[in-house]
Amino acid sequence: MSQRLKQKRLIHIGMFALMGLLSCLVLLQLVPYSRPSEIIVEETGENHYTQVYLKEEDGLLVPLSIESGELKDSAERIQFMSDILGGKQPVAGFQAFYEGVQILNEVSVEEGIATLDLDAAFAQYQEQDELRLLEAIVWGATQFENVDGVILQMEGEPLTEMPKRHTPLQMPLTREI
């Protein structure tokens, strides 16, 4: 009898735990989550900022607003952003995707589309960082009013997929990735 009683007790405890877990999941769906998806920084006076997405120690992407000097147009600011992603300008406490590598050969912005011609060194990222790198590039480039989408090329050839994990790329890329 005591073995049977223990089994019933375990079943009741398991059912109670399952109901509690399901209740928590339902409540999480009902409570609105109001964390902003982007940070807007005002440019005042002589200070100009560019938002760059870097990895923090746990590997999460973090938007950072970095003073970018007197860069005049979005193409120059996208080049600045790529230098930071490439590790050419380290930011204390954050990880770039590369170690001092030039990843962007050229950038042009026409009719709301930024075309980024990437260097072959771009393919040398860590495989586990593929989606984070893609998000960092697209979200960084589309922060500007005149950029709605991004087209990626490598050495002048359009990229249809990312080099390591072969994530398909539907051009132009937007923040919906």
Side-chain angles (χ1 to χ4, degrees), residues 104-123:
L104 184 61
N105 291 331
E106 187 178 343
V107 60
S108 64
V109 179
E110 294 178 19
E111 298 180 17
I113 303 296
T115 302
L116 282 61
D117 185 33
L118 302 163
D119 188 86
F122 171 77

Side-chain angles (χ1 to χ4, degrees), residues 85-102:
L85 292 177
K88 291 179 74 178
Q89 297 181 24
V91 177
F94 295 92
Q95 302 169 4
F97 290 92
Y98 304 89
E99 293 183 23
V101 175
Q102 175 76 28

